[in-house]
């Protein structure tokens, strides 16, 4: 009887310790990133959070992949096959770029956005739009040869 009681206590302690040591990616997120995820991907479950010397990456289970620099500013938001939330596009893109995308009726068909300094590249279904924040110009960057040849 005493042996069963001790086994039971050890089992309960083990279960409690395993629950306390659970690796929940949401709990690891710094508050600026958690706020970003909550605002633009509120229904997604955080699958992973990885920190590197260049920044961090958050993967939403069956959804987007978000990349941030060391100051927690987004550098890339990739829908991984799904379009990005309209609210993100409206809030995070410069108004000139957003207005242009809306004028060509592609503001709801954006799959990936990359930001590198003043350059923002928006990936649509079959093309890309580049915005240079320094000059305010919008252009279509040339496609790599392998894209043209469907390789």
């Amino acid at each position: 009887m005493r042996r069963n009681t001790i086994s039971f206590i050890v089992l309960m302690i083990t279960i409690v310790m395993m629950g306390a040591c659970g690796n929940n990616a949401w709990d690891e997120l710094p508050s600026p990133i958690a706020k970003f995820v909550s605002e633009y991907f509120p229904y997604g479950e955080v699958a992973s959070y990885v920190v590197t010397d260049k920044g961090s990456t958050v993967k939403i289970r069956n959804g987007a992949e978000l990349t941030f620099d060391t100051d927690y500013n987004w550098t890339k938001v990739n829908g991984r096959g799904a379009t990005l939330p309209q609210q993100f596009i409206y809030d995070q893109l410069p108004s000139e770029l957003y207005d242009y995308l809306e004028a060509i009726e592609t503001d709801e068909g954006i799959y990936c956005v990359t930001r590198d300094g003043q350059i923002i590249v928006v990936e649509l279904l079959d093309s890309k739009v580049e915005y240079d924040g320094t000059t305010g110009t919008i252009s279509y960057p040339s496609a790599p040869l392998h894209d043209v040849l469907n390789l």
Side-chain angles (χ1 to χ4, degrees):
M1 179 76 166
R2 180 180 166 144
R3 184 174 173 103
N4 286 341
T5 303
I6 293 174
S7 296
F8 177 75
I9 292 171
V10 169
L11 178 63
M12 293 306 290
I13 290 172
T14 303
I15 290 172
V16 169
M17 293 299 289
M18 288 176 64
C21 296
N23 185 11
N24 186 347
W26 176 260
D27 294 336
E28 296 176 26
L29 297 180
S31 65
I33 294 177
K35 181 180 180 213
F36 185 92
V37 171
S38 294
E39 187 168 347
Y40 299 116
F41 300 92
Y43 304 109
E45 177 185 344
V46 175
S48 67
Y49 173 64
V50 177
V51 178
T52 66
D53 58 339
K54 294 181 181 181
S56 55
T57 301
V58 175
K59 289 186 180 178
I60 307 294
R61 188 171 316 284
N62 299 321
E65 180 174 305
L66 319 170
T67 305
F68 299 88
D69 64 16
T70 55
D71 293 325
Y72 307 125
N73 298 309
W74 67 268
T75 57
K76 184 173 186 177
V77 178
N78 185 345
R80 297 196 302 175
T83 57
L84 299 180
Q86 181 65 24
Q87 193 63 45
F88 165 77
I89 301 303
Y90 180 77
D91 289 348
Q92 296 294 318
L93 296 184
S95 59
E96 299 86 4
L97 178 57
Y98 179 81
D99 292 344
Y100 175 78
L101 294 169
E102 189 176 43
I104 63 171
E105 298 180 354
T106 59
D107 57 315
E108 293 183 12
I110 298 171
Y111 292 86
C112 183
V113 178
T114 305
R115 177 170 61 184
D116 186 11
Q118 292 293 314
I119 303 294
I120 296 175
V121 177
V122 176
E123 295 182 29
L124 308 170
L125 180 60
D126 56 0
S127 64
K128 294 180 182 181
V129 175
E130 184 175 290
Y131 174 77
D132 185 336
T134 305
T135 62
T137 58
I138 297 172
S139 62
Y140 287 87
S142 60
L145 184 58
H146 69 277
D147 286 350
V148 173
L149 299 175
N150 292 322
L151 297 176

